Each structure stands twice: as C-alpha cells, then as structure tokens.
Amino acid sequence: MTTQNENNNRIPYTWKFIHSNSFQKLDGKTSEIYTPLDGSIIYGYFDKTAAARKIDSVMNDDLEFVEKLSLKNQLEQSHGENTYSDVPIAVGASFEKESFISIPVLGAEDQEFIMNKRYTLTKIEKGIAYLENNISFHLKSPNKNIQVLSNTNGSGIMQFDTKNQCVLNEISEYSLYVTVVDGENTLTSQIWSKDSRTTKVQNKEF
C-alpha cells in the first residue's frame, strides 16, 4: 500500500494485491478455490475524521462488476474499523472492537458475521504498545439453519505506535466452524484465515 499527502483529513492510498489464494476442504479433500485477485489495484482514502477506509474504485479486468462491488464492500467492512482503544488503558487492561465481515460458506453462499476482537495490553516499550487479542464470531443476522460452532477460535498480536497513533504490525489467525442445514443434510465448513499487515511511518512530522 502506498499513500499520498493528506488533504481535508483524508489520506489517499493505492492498494495492490500481489498474491491471494483460497482453499476449501470437503469430505477430507482440500481443493483450491479460484480467486482472481492477483494484480488488483484498489484506489481509496483513509478518512481521519471517521477513522475509516473508503474505496473509490477497483481495477482488475478479470473481475465482473458484481465481484468488484463485493470486494469493495468486504475491504471496507473488514478494514474500516480502528483497532486501538478509544481511551488510555494500563498494562493488563483490555478493550473490544467489532467489525463486520462477509465470508462464503459452503451451502449458504456469502454470510455476514460480526467479528469481535478483545485486545489486552501486555507491555509498553520505547513508545510501542504490545497487545494480544482473542477473536470470536457470531452471525450478523440470526438464522436457524446456520450455526457458528463452539470450537471457533482465533488470536493475534499487535504493535501500536503510541506517538504517531497507528498500528505498526498486526498478525491474526482464526478458524471459523459453521454448520448449515440443507434439507436433510447438514454441511460443516471450516474457514481458516491468517492475516498480516505492516505499516511504515516514513514522515513522522504529520
């Protein structure tokens, strides 16, 4: 991701997908799912007033309009929230953040989930706050035919620059288990994800 100069509390950015792949496991067999995201270029801006990322356009000739719109919504939902505490906290204290995420589920197409991350501050050294987080999920809209199983779990770590008020590094990983009742059949899906992002502050005068 590259950024440009701030204008009216907005920081324009260009976001490029280098490589993306996805897999599904069914009846013990793992297969790759086609995801034509490689080479996608995303143009948008970070709105400092709303603390949210907004996307203007998605450039990729291999994606249909509906696919571009779905990608835009997913990226805004999953990356639009701020991941820091709204008030100062002490070492050992925790805070929670919720975000919406759309995930394809076997037998039920895309489903919207609420992802809850509980962050705990473990230490602060040389202006860097170190946090651990636990991740949980539940459906945004309850559905009697779809259930999030209790063995769903996730965790991660984060480093936060207290001076520049930005996340420097964040790694998170989760396994989401979902059952879907389809007539007389019950399908069980495992959605596994590992996400890593790094931010480098090049101009510390902002």
Side-chain angles (χ1 to χ4, degrees):
M1 179 184 290
T2 57
T3 60
Q4 302 175 34
N5 294 332
E6 177 183 339
N7 185 23
N8 294 327
N9 288 321
R10 293 181 175 183
I11 304 174
Y13 65 82
T14 304
W15 189 354
K16 184 175 182 180
F17 277 86
I18 305 300
H19 181 64
S20 175
N21 56 15
S22 182
F23 300 88
Q24 74 173 10
K25 188 173 184 180
L26 179 62
D27 292 333
K29 297 181 180 180
T30 301
S31 58
E32 185 170 2
I33 302 173
Y34 175 62
T35 54
L37 297 180
D38 293 11
S40 296
I41 301 176
I42 317 297
Y43 295 96
Y45 61 89
F46 180 78
D47 188 337
K48 294 180 67 177
T49 303
R53 289 182 176 87
K54 299 296 182 181
I55 293 174
D56 290 323
S57 57
V58 177
M59 307 299 293
N60 186 332
D61 292 338
D62 294 330
L63 295 179
E64 301 292 338
F65 172 78
V66 174
E67 293 175 313
K68 291 180 179 180
L69 182 61
S70 176
L71 177 60
K72 172 183 181 295
N73 291 336
Q74 286 188 47
L75 294 176
E76 286 187 339
Q77 290 171 3
S78 61
H79 294 273
E81 81 286 355
N82 63 330
T83 52
Y84 50 85
S85 175
D86 297 323
V87 296
I89 62 173
V91 173
S94 302
F95 63 93
E96 296 186 2
K97 290 291 180 179
E98 285 189 346
S99 61
F100 299 104
I101 183 170
S102 179
I103 302 175
V105 175
L106 184 65
E109 299 182 342
D110 285 4
Q111 293 295 314
E112 284 196 321
F113 295 87
I114 297 177
M115 177 192 291
N116 180 277
K117 289 187 176 182
R118 182 177 178 83
Y119 292 89
T120 300
L121 179 61
T122 58
K123 64 179 179 179
I124 300 176
E125 289 183 354
K126 298 180 180 180
I128 305 298
Y130 295 82
L131 303 100
E132 297 178 349
N133 75 67
N134 291 312
I135 305 170
S136 60
F137 291 87
H138 59 273
L139 283 168
K140 182 179 178 182
S141 300
N143 187 324
K144 64 179 182 180
N145 294 323
I146 303 174
Q147 181 180 2
V148 177
L149 300 183
S150 59
N151 55 341
T152 291
N153 63 82
S155 61
I157 57 175
M158 183 174 74
Q159 296 176 9
F160 184 79
D161 186 333
T162 58
K163 177 182 178 181
N164 294 295
Q165 293 292 292
C166 68
V167 175
L168 295 179
N169 296 289
E170 183 169 18
I171 300 173
S172 61
E173 181 175 355
Y174 65 79
S175 291
L176 171 59
Y177 294 88
V178 180
T179 59
V180 177
V181 177
D182 184 12
E184 297 181 353
N185 300 316
T186 299
L187 305 175
T188 301
S189 297
Q190 177 193 9
I191 298 99
W192 175 84
S193 175
K194 184 174 183 179
D195 181 72
S196 174
R197 62 186 174 112
T198 301
T199 301
K200 293 183 179 180
V201 181
Q202 295 180 327
N203 178 11
K204 294 193 175 183
E205 299 300 323
F206 67 87

